[in-house]
């Protein structure tokens, strides 16, 4: 998944969003001294390699009333963790879903899924749905609610590569 | 970023359709808005104006490529600490002083501080975690991702 210096310039130019004009890729090309075809080809190649997941709008879930969230964590049998993790990640109320190492004895959980809802009751209801989906493969579970944001900074790329 | 909910009448049916449909992605074509507008029964100009309006009122945070931060180089790791309540504020100061700490949340658990380290190189994660352990005298548990699943998350407006 290597990206070159031109890809990096494209990333920096589009990190805060696409220009809202009929020909956004031609506009970006004009900023960077590239052709529109080159911008389209490079963005398409990055999407094919997974560097770009998609070009889409990011809803502000707070503004849309989806204000509650909880980090649900699950101890799932290792031989089923990949299959079940894929099912949990595909749920439309789960925004992040990962397998991570356990930290025994403090932390027996290997599957992490961030659940979103309009209020905590909805988050708890969704959590029950996930528990049902995991069934007997899940041996222990918890949910951690955030009580305070202590720091939040955007991820910034360094210039050049 | 707007954190308060919008009034119920802030979005009309077309806004909702745009918001729901364009979470799935725009084609990378010469006239991407024209192509997406057809599926929504809108003109290209209408669609562009709607997206701009959704951004102005704070219903969306951005419109553009979603980059995989790791694919662009660099390393990320979720970390957790169990911080005694009486030391919490001091430890927040020590942890947040590291530029590599991207987000940090207090959570309801014995492991009550959860933060993400972002470094240029994989070795940086271990180094910063050890610095934090030395400064605070508390263990830092590392939870690197072993596998990330495709995400179906969509907000229905």
């Amino acid at each position: 998944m290597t990206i070159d210096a031109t890809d990096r310039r494209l990333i920096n130019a589009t990190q805060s969003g696409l220009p809202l004009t009929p020909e956004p890729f031609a506009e970006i090309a004009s900023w960077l001294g590239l052709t529109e075809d080159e911008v389209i080809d490079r963005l398409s190649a990055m999407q094919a390699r997974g560097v770009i997941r998609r070009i889409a709008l990011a809803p502000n879930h707070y503004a849309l009333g989806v204000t509650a969230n909880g980090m649900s964590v699950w101890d799932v049998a290792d031989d089923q963790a990949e299959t079940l993790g894929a099912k949990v990640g595909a749920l439309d109320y789960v925004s992040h879903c990962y397998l991570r190492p356990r930290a025994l004895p403090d932390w027996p959980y290997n599957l992490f899924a961030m659940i979103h809802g309009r209020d905590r009751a909805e988050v708890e209801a969704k959590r029950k749905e996930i528990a049902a989906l995991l069934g007997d493969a899940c041996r222990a579970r918890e949910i951690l609610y955030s009580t305070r944001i202590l720091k939040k900074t955007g991820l910034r790329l360094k210039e050049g590569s | 970023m707007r954190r308060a909910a919008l009034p119920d009448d802030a979005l009309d049916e077309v806004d909702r359709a745009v918001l729901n449909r364009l979470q799935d992605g725009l084609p990378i074509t010469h006239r991407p808005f024209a192509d997406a507008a057809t599926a929504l029964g809108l003109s290209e100009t209408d669609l562009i104006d709607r997206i701009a309006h959704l951004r102005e009122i704070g219903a969306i945070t951005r419109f553009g490529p979603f980059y995989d931060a790791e694919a662009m180089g660099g390393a990320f790791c979720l970390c957790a600490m169990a911080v005694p309540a009486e030391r919490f504020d001091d430890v927040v100061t020590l942890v947040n002083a590291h530029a590599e700490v991207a987000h940090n949340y207090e959570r309801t658990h014995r492991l009550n501080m959860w933060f993400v380290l972002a470094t240029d190189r994989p070795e940086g994660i271990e180094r910063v975690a050890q610095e934090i352990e030395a400064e605070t005298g508390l263990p830092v548990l590392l939870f690197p991702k072993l596998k990330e699943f495709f995400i179906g998350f969509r907000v229905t407006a």
Side-chain angles (χ1 to χ4, degrees):
Chain A
M1 291 224 269
T2 52
I3 51 173
D4 67 15
T6 304
D7 288 335
R8 197 162 280 270
R9 288 169 64 217
L10 257 176
I11 293 169
N12 282 325
T14 55
Q15 262 195 119
S16 58
L18 277 194
L20 294 178
T21 57
E23 298 173 9
F25 304 116
E27 172 86 12
I28 294 164
S30 76
W31 300 341
L32 301 179
L34 301 171
T35 66
E36 182 188 22
D37 282 346
E38 196 172 0
V39 169
I40 287 176
D41 289 348
R42 283 178 175 273
L43 291 176
S44 300
M46 282 196 274
Q47 188 161 32
R49 297 202 305 273
V51 176
I52 293 175
R53 291 165 183 202
R54 59 184 185 277
I55 295 181
L57 59 77
N60 177 353
H61 45 85
Y62 295 102
L64 299 171
V66 183
T67 53
N69 64 75
M71 185 174 81
S72 71
V73 294
W74 313 81
D75 175 15
V76 177
D78 287 326
D79 60 350
Q80 295 177 66
E82 293 231 356
T83 317
L84 290 170
K87 287 186 183 170
V88 173
L91 298 168
D92 63 6
Y93 50 82
V94 170
S95 69
H96 298 79
C97 189
Y98 300 100
L99 289 182
R100 302 184 186 278
R102 298 179 180 87
L104 298 170
D106 294 334
W107 188 261
Y109 311 109
N110 57 340
L111 177 64
F112 289 58
M114 191 67 73
I115 304 175
H116 296 261
R118 293 184 180 273
D119 51 34
R120 190 164 293 190
E122 189 174 287
V123 172
E124 287 293 334
K126 306 293 190 198
R127 188 181 164 221
K128 287 203 178 75
E129 288 179 21
I130 296 178
L133 190 155
L134 296 176
D136 292 343
C138 173
R139 295 169 292 223
R141 63 197 60 99
E142 275 192 82
I143 188 161
L144 284 70
Y145 289 103
S146 65
T147 39
R148 228 182 338 156
I149 299 174
L150 305 171
K151 185 176 189 183
K152 189 162 184 142
T153 52
L155 296 171
R156 297 301 330 175
L157 262 191
K158 297 212 163 168
E159 294 287 330
S161 81
Chain B
M1 184 175 103
R2 183 191 175 96
R3 293 202 153 251
L6 290 163
D8 285 341
D9 60 358
L11 304 179
D12 67 16
E13 285 308 306
V14 176
D15 291 326
R16 289 174 193 277
V18 168
L19 219 154
N20 292 336
R21 166 66 191 81
L22 286 191
Q23 289 177 65
D24 283 333
L26 194 75
I28 305 176
T29 56
H30 175 59
R31 301 281 288 271
F33 296 106
D35 295 337
T38 310
L40 284 159
L42 296 174
S43 74
E44 180 184 49
T45 313
D46 281 345
L47 178 57
I48 290 173
D49 290 348
R50 292 278 177 171
I51 296 170
H53 174 68
L54 289 171
R55 203 173 55 184
E56 270 157 33
I57 65 173
I60 66 177
T61 55
R62 64 189 286 276
F63 182 87
F66 282 58
Y67 288 103
D68 177 336
E70 213 147 338
M72 297 189 292
F76 299 86
C77 187
L78 179 67
C79 305
M81 297 173 75
V83 183
E86 67 278 10
R87 292 191 56 201
F88 200 85
D89 290 345
D90 292 339
V91 173
V92 170
T93 305
L94 290 169
V95 170
N96 284 359
H98 291 268
E100 295 86 352
V101 174
H103 335 120
N104 190 358
Y105 288 87
E106 181 184 44
R107 293 193 180 277
T108 53
H109 194 270
R110 197 181 70 79
L111 292 171
N112 52 356
M113 187 182 290
W114 290 78
F115 53 90
V116 172
L117 289 180
T119 61
D120 291 342
R121 295 175 180 285
E123 315 83 83
I125 300 288
E126 193 72 31
R127 177 181 54 77
V128 178
Q130 283 170 0
E131 286 172 9
I132 292 173
E133 288 187 332
E135 290 161 8
T136 62
L138 299 170
V140 174
L141 298 183
L142 300 182
F143 295 105
K145 73 175 183 194
L146 301 177
K147 167 97 187 171
E148 177 171 6
F149 297 104
F150 171 82
I151 287 304
F153 184 56
R154 300 290 184 270
V155 177
T156 305

